[in-house]
Amino acid sequence: MNNKRAFYISIIFCFLISIKSLYSSSLNEECLTRTQIEILIEEILNEKRISRYLHADLSSRSPLKIKCNEYIKVSYNITYKSKKILITKNEIYDDLIDIRFKGIECENSEIVLFFDFISKIEGVGILGKANKKNNQWHIEILKEVLI
């Protein structure tokens, strides 16, 4: 019960940050390119506290499936352990992963954003922060809860 409450508080926190970012910069899509998103998703998936939930070695989980959204498009070329990921709008998959970006802030060549990683089949929600500085993404896990 407390884990769910903490997760929802985290979601509300990210929502408030994203409202702030909408006012502080104009939709920030210009600073987050397709290539940067593709690399960022791969970095997120390779983070050890996230990768332990992927089980990409299981045939039932291959290929990995990520839900399409406003930042992650079906046409994107994202891989995990050299295998192409299926990005889909179709929600019929039990192992569909949902990754959402929030609170995107861009200043010069630095990008900071928060993300939610949700895996229903694993019953986990993760709140993280991604920071691109000196052309390198750094991923930090802020909260991990069972859902």
Side-chain angles (χ1 to χ4, degrees), residues 3-4 7 53 122-125 144-147:
N3 284 340
K4 280 188 180 182
F7 181 70
Y53 294 111
E122 291 290 324
V124 68
E144 180 178 343
V145 296
L146 299 177
I147 54 175

Side-chain angles (χ1 to χ4, degrees), residues 15 17 33 38 50 83 85 97 113 121-122:
F15 175 73
I17 289 172
T33 66
E38 291 171 342
I50 289 179
K83 292 184 180 176
I85 291 175
I97 296 166
L113 62 86
I121 197 166
E122 291 290 324

